[in-house]
């Protein structure tokens, strides 16, 4: 720890400004000192976060576990083998022109160490396309004892050493996904556990050179109105930022991956993109400091078109942060349907990926139009109780 007489809160050379102490006498004005946590990767973290949060670009999330990837492959009649997973991810990561619309790609551990059939690592494929490689680091959800049938996220044990290895392999940002269920309460215990786990993960990631994506997903499950989602989201993000600060996390070197504020998937009334934008931006402005470089929304089971329309509505006026996307199903669904596991359909599948990526790029710039969208893109992808 070092101390200084005064440091501006947004000074990048001194990451997150921690707790203050006040020492003064009656004969002198109050003197403010800050506990400053220095980090070897501070400048690099800021640079990485800004690169991912660059205009007109967002994140391609292909960090599904092997089991979940197997479900995707099964939907087109393919077995869940390493060769099939490699072939599908090669299709995605070698798409010509992908870097025009995608700034980062979240990988599963298996994918981080894989290569194309020609021997080029996927990490190098991404770097050559000006796409930052990222890595999923959590170890999945487990039942939370003492809660309302809720979950907690595992993976802190050994995270520092794993993160150091991921950095050596070329990863420059990380993702940790925990969930909050509105129908289950959520309980104060579950919210605190989610927030504390995210904060510890974020601090460990930054210590090892990885920009942490902070993702407390508020699940779409339920029949609650949008006002209830807003209430829960404000509570969750309040706790998250409280514990991020307690753990000395540098806000300029993180990215957020929130759920959009929508009604529960089973609610009788569907919200328009304008309403979703209004409620979501209200929540963010109340809870997220402007020091955070980027908000990279998850799609959470929305249809491809719906996720894009909602993002576009949020970018109709300037925001304090880069407001963009980190989509999995909302970018991949059309690709899988087109590919069907057939080599002769790879080019058409890559074009389908570019269509969705470009649509969301335009939405990030507030210039998207749904005119010409096909009906498949409008089909919802919500699955009750969905797990990665």
């Amino acid at each position: 720890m070092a101390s200084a007489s005064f440091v501006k809160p947004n000074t990048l050379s001194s990451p997150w400004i921690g707790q203050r102490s006040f020492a003064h006498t009656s004969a002198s004005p109050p003197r403010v000192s800050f506990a400053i946590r220095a980090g070897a990767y501070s400048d690099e973290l800021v640079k990485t976060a800004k690169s991912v949060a660059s205009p007109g670009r967002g994140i391609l999330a292909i960090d599904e576990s092997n089991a979940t990837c197997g479900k995707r492959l099964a939907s087109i009649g393919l077995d869940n083998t390493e060769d099939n997973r490699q072939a599908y991810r090669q299709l995605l990561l070698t798409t010509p022109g992908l870097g025009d619309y995608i700034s980062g790609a979240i990988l599963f551990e298996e994918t981080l160490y894989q290569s194309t059939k020609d021997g080029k690592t996927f990490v190098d494929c991404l770097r050559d396309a000006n796409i930052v490689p990222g890595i999923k680091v959590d170890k999945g959800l487990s039942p939370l004892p003492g809660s309302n049938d809720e979950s907690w996220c595992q993976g802190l044990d050994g995270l520092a050493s794993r993160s150091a290895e991921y950095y050596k392999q070329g990863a420059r940002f990380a993702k940790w996904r925990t969930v909050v269920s509105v129908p289950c309460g959520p309980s104060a215990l579950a919210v605190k556990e989610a927030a504390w786990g995210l904060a510890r993960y974020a601090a460990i990631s930054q210590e090892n050179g990885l920009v942490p994506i902070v993702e407390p997903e508020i699940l779409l499950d339920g029949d609650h109105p949008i006002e209830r989602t807003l209430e829960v989201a404000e509570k969750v993000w309040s706790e998250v930022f409280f514990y991020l600060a307690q753990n000395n996390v540098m806000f300029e070197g993180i990215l957020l991956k929130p759920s959009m504020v929508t009604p529960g998937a089973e609610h009788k009334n569907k919200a328009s993109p304008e309403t979703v934008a209004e409620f979501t931006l209200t929540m963010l402005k109340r809870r997220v400091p402007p020091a955070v470089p980027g908000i990279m929304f998850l799609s959470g089971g929305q249809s491809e078109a719906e996720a894009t329309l909602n993002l576009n509505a949020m970018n109709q006026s300037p925001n304090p942060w880069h407001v963009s996307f980190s989509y999995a199903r909302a970018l991949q669904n059309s690709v899988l349907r087109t590919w069907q596991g057939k080599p002769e359909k790879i080019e058409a599948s890559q074009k389908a990926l570019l269509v969705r990526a470009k649509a969301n790029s335009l939405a990030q710039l507030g210039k998207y139009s749904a005119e010409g969208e096909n009906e498949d893109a409008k089909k919802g992808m919500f699955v009750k109780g969905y797990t990665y």
Side-chain angles (χ1 to χ4, degrees):
M1 291 285 188
S3 62
S5 59
F6 180 75
V7 179
K8 291 193 296 183
N10 64 350
T11 299
L12 300 185
S13 60
S14 45
W16 168 246
I17 305 305
Q19 296 183 356
R20 309 183 193 187
S21 63
F22 298 87
H24 62 93
T25 67
S26 58
S28 61
R31 178 176 173 174
V32 181
S33 66
F34 296 93
I36 302 170
R37 179 174 182 164
Y41 295 99
S42 299
D43 291 342
E44 183 180 350
L45 292 170
V46 172
K47 183 179 178 181
T48 298
K50 286 183 176 180
S51 178
V52 175
S54 55
R57 301 203 299 166
I59 294 174
L60 170 63
I62 56 168
D63 58 316
E64 302 90 348
S65 67
N66 288 347
T68 300
C69 190
K71 293 176 185 176
R72 305 269 171 87
L73 295 174
S75 73
I76 57 171
L78 293 182
D79 293 332
N80 186 15
T81 65
E82 183 176 353
D83 282 346
N84 283 338
R85 293 192 299 270
Q86 186 278 341
Y88 177 54
R89 286 159 173 164
Q90 177 173 323
L91 181 162
L92 297 170
L93 298 178
T94 60
T95 297
L98 188 62
D100 293 341
Y101 314 116
I102 299 296
S103 56
I106 312 172
L107 310 178
F108 190 61
E109 186 176 66
E110 176 183 77
T111 317
L112 183 68
Y113 291 91
Q114 283 178 327
S115 302
T116 67
K117 290 299 183 183
D118 295 331
K120 185 176 183 178
T121 67
F122 285 155
V123 167
D124 284 340
C125 291
L126 290 170
R127 284 172 170 166
D128 288 349
N130 194 29
I131 299 172
V132 182
I135 177 71
K136 168 187 165 72
V137 299
D138 69 77
K139 294 295 184 180
L141 302 171
S142 187
L144 177 63
S147 70
N148 300 329
D149 196 26
E150 295 161 290
S151 300
W152 69 288
C153 190
Q154 305 172 91
L156 289 177
D157 289 348
L159 178 59
S161 59
R162 286 191 289 120
S163 297
E165 288 301 315
Y166 297 149
Y167 183 91
K168 287 180 185 176
Q169 184 62 19
R172 289 298 179 269
F173 70 94
K175 187 197 107 167
W176 175 287
R177 172 187 179 261
T178 192
V179 301
V180 173
S181 169
V182 178
C184 289
S187 68
L189 173 64
V191 172
K192 182 175 181 178
E193 174 60 41
W196 178 256
L198 284 165
R200 291 303 308 138
Y201 137 78
I204 293 167
S205 295
Q206 289 190 340
E207 286 286 333
N208 289 280
L210 302 178
V211 169
I213 290 183
V214 178
E215 181 184 359
E217 179 175 356
I218 298 171
L219 298 171
L220 281 176
D221 303 61
D223 60 0
H224 49 279
I226 194 169
E227 291 82 4
R228 175 59 179 155
T229 309
L230 175 63
E231 180 183 4
V232 171
E234 288 184 348
K235 172 62 177 173
V236 170
W237 282 106
S238 174
E239 292 271 308
V240 168
F241 274 100
F242 175 78
Y243 288 116
L244 287 172
Q246 280 208 336
N247 281 272
N248 299 304
V249 172
M250 179 178 67
F251 290 178
E252 292 89 346
I254 66 173
L255 296 166
L256 307 187
K257 186 169 179 176
S259 309
M260 296 180 190
V261 178
T262 67
E266 296 157 293
H267 190 259
K268 59 184 179 181
N269 296 324
K270 202 168 184 65
S272 67
E274 293 72 25
T275 300
V276 171
E278 179 185 358
F279 275 79
T280 303
L281 291 175
T282 294
M283 183 275 292
L284 293 174
K285 288 172 182 176
R286 289 174 175 173
R287 292 294 181 265
V288 180
V292 174
I295 313 289
M296 321 300 286
F297 282 104
L298 60 91
S299 54
Q302 300 176 73
S303 73
E304 292 176 328
E306 185 180 12
T308 308
L309 283 166
N310 288 339
L311 177 63
N312 186 69
M314 279 184 265
N315 281 299
Q316 293 307 300
S317 57
N319 291 302
W321 341 262
H322 175 80
V323 174
S324 192
F325 59 93
S326 177
Y327 292 165
R329 286 174 283 174
L331 285 172
Q332 295 182 50
N333 207 40
S334 295
V335 181
L336 277 168
R337 283 197 309 266
T338 305
W339 180 44
Q340 296 294 316
K342 298 176 181 178
E344 65 271 19
K345 291 191 174 182
I346 288 176
E347 185 177 348
S349 304
Q350 291 177 329
K351 287 180 179 178
L353 175 58
L354 289 179
V355 166
R356 296 284 6 127
K358 183 177 181 180
N360 286 291
S361 169
L362 290 170
Q364 196 288 309
L365 299 170
K367 298 177 180 178
Y368 169 73
S369 168
E371 186 177 348
E373 282 281 17
N374 63 51
E375 289 304 311
D376 283 339
K378 299 176 183 177
K379 292 179 181 177
M381 293 178 282
F382 169 72
V383 177
K384 191 172 184 178
Y386 179 80
T387 57
Y388 271 79

